[in-house]
């Protein structure tokens, strides 16, 4: 009888310990999901604007089978309000800010390299780790290549590639397709206008891989976050030619979908986190405007496009037209 009582007591203690550990892990996972969302979302939204500019040099349609090849320099300007996010202790369940502070500004993926130490516990075993740092830059710069061809009904088809490029601890790459269709041909009032009007539809598939200092959470480690995104752009464009210059204005929106995934060690931890991050896979719509100036010199042209919105993006391109 005594032996059975002892086994019963041991079983109760074990179950309580296991339940307590499960609750601790659950709370840590929910905190990490919240922090991951705050950390990576600015970079995901920035990628939409990186992929949305520089698709055209003019709304003027190309002749059938004329080809334009472009080498472009793309620069995203990072606003200060996207470099950090504020975390209050009340927003977290298990993980906390080390020390006596009840709130702290933590770098986003676009932020600086200042260190904020976080800590938590699982089954009374304390762990601590540094919050991930940002890219510590005021701009994100990369090159891309683009080609467009004129087809039937004054329609241009565009293909774009931004090869994989490493920016400090981040890797960005993108592939995109676009179709621009001239509208003057369909409306009598603007058929003979000196202005050209066009509709531009684009699709971009991009990824952002972010590595950071390893965080040891007792039941596993995390050291990377990956964002896979898709965006669709819808734009109305007008342009006018002044001597050798084409001046264009575009208004539009970009709707995007993001998927997040954490990398590291520990199957259980990664499964819990990535399952939870699926709830953060989100859609977002951004409105934007483009202002572009294109200078023509024989078959060459140089264009500059500034995109305004939640972020500002500049694209400078050198273009050659096979006509």
């Amino acid at each position: 009888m005594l032996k059975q009582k002892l086994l019963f007591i041991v079983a109760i203690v074990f179950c309580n310990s296991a339940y307590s550990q499960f609750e601790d892990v659950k709370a840590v996972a929910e905190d990490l999901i919240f922090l991951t969302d705050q950390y990576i979302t600015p970079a995901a939204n920035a990628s939409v604007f990186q992929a949305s500019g520089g698709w055209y040099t003019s709304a003027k349609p190309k002749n059938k089978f004329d080809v334009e090849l472009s080498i472009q320099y793309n620069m995203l300007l990072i606003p200060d309000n996207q470099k950090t996010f504020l975390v209050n202790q009340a927003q977290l369940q298990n993980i906390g800010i080390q020390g006596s502070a009840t709130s702290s500004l933590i770098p986003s993926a676009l932020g600086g390299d200042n260190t904020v130490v976080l800590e938590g516990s699982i089954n009374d075993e304390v762990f601590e780790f540094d919050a991930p740092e940002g890219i510590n830059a005021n701009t994100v710069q990369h090159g891309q290549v683009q080609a467009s061809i004129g087809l039937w009904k004054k329609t241009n088809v565009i293909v774009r590639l931004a090869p994989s490029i490493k920016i400090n601890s981040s890797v960005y790459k993108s592939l995109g397709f676009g179709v621009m269709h001239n509208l003057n041909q369909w409306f009598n009032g603007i058929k003979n206008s000196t202005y050209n009007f066009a509709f531009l539809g684009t699709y971009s598939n991009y990824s952002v891989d972010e590595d950071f200092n390893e965080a040891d959470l007792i039941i596993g480690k995390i050291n990377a976050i990956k964002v896979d995104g898709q965006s669709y752009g819808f734009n109305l464009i007008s342009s006018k030619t002044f001597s050798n210059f084409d001046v264009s204005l575009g208004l539009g929106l970009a709707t995007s979908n993001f998927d997040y995934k954490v990398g590291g060690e520990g199957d259980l931890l990664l499964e819990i986190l990535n399952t939870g991050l699926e709830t953060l896979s989100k859609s977002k719509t951004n409105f934007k405007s483009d202002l572009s100036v294109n200078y023509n010199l024989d078959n060459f042209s140089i264009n500059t496009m500034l995109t305004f919105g939640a972020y500002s993006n500049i694209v400078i391109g050198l273009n050659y037209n096979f006509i």
Side-chain angles (χ1 to χ4, degrees):
M1 179 65 72
L2 178 61
K3 183 177 180 181
Q4 290 177 337
K5 287 182 178 179
L6 288 174
L7 289 174
F8 180 70
I9 292 171
V10 169
I12 290 176
V13 171
F14 176 80
C15 290
N16 286 338
S17 176
Y19 178 76
S20 175
Q21 181 171 353
F22 172 78
E23 288 297 304
D24 287 345
V25 171
K26 179 174 177 289
V28 167
E30 290 177 355
D31 287 346
L32 289 173
I33 291 166
F34 168 76
L35 292 170
T36 298
D37 184 28
Q38 299 295 308
Y39 175 77
I40 202 65
T41 294
N45 290 333
S47 298
V48 176
F49 279 84
Q50 281 182 284
S52 69
W55 284 94
Y56 58 91
T57 54
S58 170
K60 184 166 51 180
K62 297 186 181 302
N63 294 324
K64 189 163 63 173
F65 301 135
D66 283 356
V67 174
E68 181 180 70
L69 296 180
S70 304
I71 299 175
Q72 298 178 338
Y73 165 78
N74 192 319
M75 181 172 68
L76 178 86
L77 308 178
I78 303 174
D80 288 340
N81 63 2
Q82 299 298 323
K83 293 182 178 181
T84 58
F85 60 95
L86 179 65
V87 172
N88 293 306
Q89 192 67 57
Q91 296 173 290
L92 302 171
Q93 302 175 57
N94 186 309
I95 293 175
I97 303 160
Q98 192 176 66
S100 59
T102 58
S103 65
S104 180
L105 283 174
I106 296 178
S108 74
L110 298 178
D113 58 0
N114 52 303
T115 301
V116 177
V117 181
L118 303 174
E119 62 182 7
S121 65
I122 295 178
N123 203 24
D124 296 326
E125 187 174 352
V126 177
F127 61 87
E128 65 178 49
F129 63 97
D130 295 342
E133 300 172 353
I135 61 173
N136 195 30
N138 292 318
T139 61
V140 177
Q141 306 171 41
H142 67 86
Q144 57 195 32
V145 293
Q146 183 169 291
S148 60
I149 182 172
L151 297 177
W152 297 269
K153 294 293 183 181
K154 299 184 178 181
T155 299
N156 301 341
V157 173
I158 309 157
V159 179
R160 167 187 287 180
L161 172 65
S164 178
I165 181 170
K166 187 173 179 63
I167 307 166
N168 293 339
S169 59
S170 299
V171 177
Y172 171 84
K173 59 184 177 181
S174 175
L175 176 65
F177 303 92
V179 176
M180 188 170 73
H181 184 73
N182 186 266
L183 300 176
N184 293 58
Q185 61 188 310
W186 302 111
F187 303 96
N188 291 330
I190 58 174
K191 270 187 178 179
N192 299 315
S193 174
T194 57
Y195 290 86
N196 279 284
F197 298 90
F199 170 79
L200 171 67
T202 63
Y203 166 79
S204 296
N205 186 304
Y206 50 86
S207 66
V208 180
D209 295 308
E210 176 74 22
D211 294 330
F212 50 83
N213 293 335
E214 187 173 80
D216 189 342
L217 307 175
I218 299 175
I219 63 170
K221 302 175 182 180
I222 58 173
N223 55 25
I225 300 174
K226 181 176 182 179
V227 179
D228 287 317
Q230 299 181 352
S231 65
Y232 299 86
F234 308 92
N235 307 267
L236 290 175
I237 307 162
S238 65
S239 69
K240 184 175 175 62
T241 300
F242 301 90
S243 184
N244 290 337
F245 290 90
D246 299 311
V247 179
S248 304
L249 176 66
L251 299 174
L253 58 87
T255 179
S256 52
N257 301 295
F258 306 128
D259 291 304
Y260 302 147
K261 187 172 184 179
V262 170
E265 301 176 10
D267 292 341
L268 176 60
L269 176 64
L270 295 181
E271 182 177 355
I272 292 172
L273 289 178
N274 288 321
T275 299
L277 286 172
E278 290 178 1
T279 65
L280 299 182
S281 300
K282 59 182 68 175
S283 298
K284 187 168 184 177
T285 298
N286 294 281
F287 292 92
K288 70 183 191 73
S289 58
D290 302 315
L291 177 62
S292 173
V293 177
N294 185 56
Y295 176 69
N296 299 286
L297 182 63
D298 295 327
N299 290 349
F300 286 94
S301 73
I302 299 173
N303 74 292
T304 301
M305 178 178 289
L306 177 59
T307 298
F308 304 89
Y311 295 80
S312 295
N313 195 74
I314 299 172
V315 175
I316 300 173
L318 174 64
N319 318 291
Y320 183 80
N321 290 273
F322 296 86
I323 55 177

